[in-house]
Amino acid sequence: MNKVITNKISDVSTAKIFNQLSKSADVIVITVAFFSDPAIVNKLIESGKSITLVVSLRPPTNYYSLKDILHNKNVDILFLGDDFHSKIYGFYNAEKVIDSAILGSSNFTNGGLHNNFETNLITKDKDILKQIDSNINEIINLSAKLQPDILNQYKKRYDQFKKAQAKDHNPIRTNSEHTGFKVSKNASQYLKFWNVVDQVKDFVGDISAEEYPLTPKYLVIDHFWHWVVIICDKKKLDKFPSKKTNKKKSIRTLFSEYCKWGKLEKTGYTERMGETSKEIIDILNPSNIKKLNKRNALFVYRSLHASHMPSQRFGADLGFIQNNKMEQIRKSFIHLLDDTLPIDLRIHNLIHKKSTYKLEQFGSSCIQELIGWANPEVMPIRNNKADKAVKLLGYEY
């Protein structure tokens, strides 16, 4: 019997399968890179099982977890160095013949057994088990027995690791945080747009750095979009190359023309974008955004390309301030700029009409512009003009 399971997807977890196979085993061999869950081992020992544990003696293998079980007579702990990364669980009968095994990605940690996306093969196939048993024995033969002095030496390394981890604990959340939740098409397209802009940035980054050394490249490219849509001779854009190699040459030529135009125009707009962005970054930094006031909120709103015309013709800027409470604006801006959450989810939450983050007079273009203004070294500005420009350059998304 062979079965493949994945935590969070399959109807059973690795922990549940491990517990099931452990019940009928007399000897259990655990060879894993990382170990941090002594409670399970202690329960197995109490039930009369013999345990052989092989670990990599490096963080995040938990010093205190190893210390907890080191001196138990029914546990034999071995270790290998930093290059050990196997995860094999062998379940043996009283004659030390292997009956079943788990082979995959799960470490003997809470995450590996329960919470992480881990994929493992559960097998009782005799031919496969014979090979697994051989591998387990080879690993054991290469390992060294863990003695108290070696473990005490490891304590210093582990404590330093935990201290550093506590100072720099900023987990990156992924779309698994909202599994089964579908974001809007507009929100998901930002990622595709971003990929396009990054390719353009790769093409013209050296030119941008030379012509506008003090302005972030994403902002320079945003003004390039304006030139492509409004200024550029459209005959130059007819049948724009689709192949990357030809596209690179053509876009570099256009970008050089844009830079010459920008210098002749003498408005200094590209440079001023950089200065505006610095002001927005200061207003919206973590220490200031929580006390954001109406004056600064208006400055941010009026700085967006998408708000210029609506503000001039329809007073959209005043409507933005009057129709949204400052508390709500702060809350929504903080959420939009929270880089621990997936960007498509953040955009969706500000677009969706029923979301608690939705703001009046702050549509899709404003949302996807603010991301770029506030993170000009990391993320691009996206609005309707940017979408038109990339389509004129032959990109589709």
Side-chain angles (χ1 to χ4, degrees):
M1 180 203 80
N2 295 319
K3 182 178 182 181
V4 176
I5 65 166
T6 299
N7 290 352
K8 291 191 172 183
I9 295 177
S10 302
D11 56 354
V12 291
S13 66
T14 305
K16 187 171 183 179
I17 294 294
F18 177 87
N19 290 331
Q20 288 173 354
L21 297 178
S22 297
K23 289 178 181 179
S24 57
D26 296 294
V27 178
I28 302 167
V29 180
I30 302 166
T31 65
V32 291
F34 306 130
F35 172 81
S36 65
D37 200 337
I40 297 175
V41 172
N42 282 325
K43 286 182 179 179
L44 291 172
I45 294 166
E46 290 172 5
S47 66
K49 314 293 183 182
S50 294
I51 308 295
T52 297
L53 173 65
V54 184
V55 300
S56 176
L57 204 59
R58 75 183 192 272
T61 291
N62 191 308
Y63 160 82
Y64 299 96
S65 297
L66 291 175
K67 184 78 170 177
D68 186 41
I69 62 173
L70 180 64
H71 298 297
N72 197 299
K73 65 179 182 179
N74 288 334
V75 176
D76 191 21
I77 305 180
L78 308 168
F79 73 94
L80 286 163
D82 288 6
D83 56 346
F84 180 54
H85 212 261
S86 298
K87 294 97 177 177
I88 309 172
Y89 301 80
F91 302 87
Y92 296 76
N93 59 30
E95 289 74 38
K96 295 188 178 179
V97 175
I98 191 167
D99 288 327
S100 57
I102 301 173
L103 179 70
S105 65
S106 286
N107 284 299
F108 206 89
T109 62
N110 187 59
L113 297 176
H114 295 276
N115 299 327
N116 297 342
F117 275 99
E118 308 280 359
T119 300
N120 298 288
L121 169 69
I122 295 89
T123 183
K124 292 188 177 182
D125 183 286
K126 290 183 179 180
D127 290 335
I128 296 176
L129 288 175
K130 186 176 180 180
Q131 296 176 59
I132 291 175
D133 182 50
S134 177
N135 274 267
I136 288 175
N137 286 322
E138 288 181 19
I139 289 170
I140 289 174
N141 289 335
L142 291 170
S143 304
K145 187 171 179 63
L146 184 63
Q147 303 288 355
D149 59 336
I150 299 295
L151 184 57
N152 287 336
Q153 290 176 31
Y154 175 65
K155 181 178 184 300
K156 183 177 180 180
R157 182 182 180 187
Y158 178 73
D159 287 345
Q160 288 175 340
F161 162 76
K162 291 300 290 184
K163 187 176 180 180
Q165 189 182 48
K167 287 183 178 179
D168 188 28
H169 183 64
N170 185 24
I172 297 175
R173 302 180 193 177
T174 68
N175 285 340
S176 65
E177 298 289 337
H178 53 98
T179 300
F181 178 81
K182 187 175 182 180
V183 299
S184 63
K185 182 179 179 181
N186 196 315
S188 64
Q189 280 183 334
Y190 182 85
L191 298 174
K192 297 177 182 178
F193 170 78
W194 194 351
N195 286 333
V196 169
V197 183
D198 269 3
Q199 186 179 106
V200 174
K201 183 161 71 75
D202 289 341
F203 291 163
V204 304
D206 57 330
I207 303 173
S208 178
E210 183 177 349
E211 297 292 340
Y212 297 102
L214 301 179
T215 306
K217 294 172 186 175
Y218 280 132
L219 297 182
V220 179
I221 290 172
D222 181 72
H223 200 211
F224 173 55
W225 299 150
H226 168 80
W227 181 84
V228 168
V229 173
I230 305 299
I231 308 298
C232 179
D233 183 353
K234 297 303 178 289
K235 291 180 181 178
K236 296 180 179 179
L237 303 176
D238 291 342
K239 298 180 180 179
F240 210 80
S242 58
K243 292 184 178 180
K244 185 176 179 180
T245 51
N246 296 333
K247 192 182 286 290
K248 178 178 180 179
K249 181 179 179 180
S250 299
I251 289 179
R252 284 179 65 84
T253 299
L254 284 181
F255 192 81
S256 295
E257 288 185 37
Y258 149 72
C259 290
K260 290 179 182 178
W261 168 81
K263 299 296 183 181
L264 291 173
E265 190 189 28
K266 296 182 179 180
T267 63
Y269 184 74
T270 304
E271 293 89 343
R272 284 192 286 113
M273 284 183 71
E275 295 303 314
T276 299
S277 179
K278 287 180 182 178
E279 291 187 62
I280 291 175
I281 291 169
D282 182 60
I283 290 170
L284 299 181
N285 74 41
S287 60
N288 291 335
I289 195 169
K290 292 180 181 178
K291 52 187 178 183
L292 183 70
N293 57 37
K294 289 185 178 181
R295 180 175 63 82
N296 286 336
L298 270 174
F299 174 82
V300 171
Y301 187 82
R302 288 167 175 165
S303 298
L304 307 176
H305 302 316
S307 70
H308 286 175
M309 187 275 288
S311 293
Q312 291 173 357
R313 294 188 180 182
F314 311 111
D317 50 348
L318 298 179
F320 173 71
I321 290 297
Q322 292 169 359
N323 296 328
N324 298 295
K325 294 180 180 179
M326 282 307 305
E327 180 181 353
Q328 179 63 37
I329 294 174
R330 295 187 198 103
K331 173 185 172 182
S332 297
F333 280 10
I334 289 171
H335 181 71
L336 182 61
L337 302 178
D338 181 1
D339 62 6
T340 67
L341 294 171
I343 185 58
D344 56 342
L345 175 62
R346 288 182 266 155
I347 293 170
H348 174 88
N349 283 344
L350 267 79
I351 291 175
H352 198 275
K353 293 180 180 179
K354 294 183 179 180
S355 170
T356 58
Y357 297 103
K358 180 76 173 70
L359 295 172
E360 298 296 325
Q361 307 292 145
F362 202 74
S364 174
S365 289
C366 288
I367 293 164
Q368 295 178 72
E369 270 200 48
L370 183 55
I371 294 165
W373 284 104
N375 301 281
E377 300 288 355
V378 180
M379 307 178 80
I381 290 172
R382 183 193 178 203
N383 52 32
N384 291 334
K385 187 177 288 185
D387 283 343
K388 289 179 182 178
V390 297
K391 287 179 181 178
L392 286 170
L393 296 181
Y395 290 99
E396 296 289 339
Y397 54 81

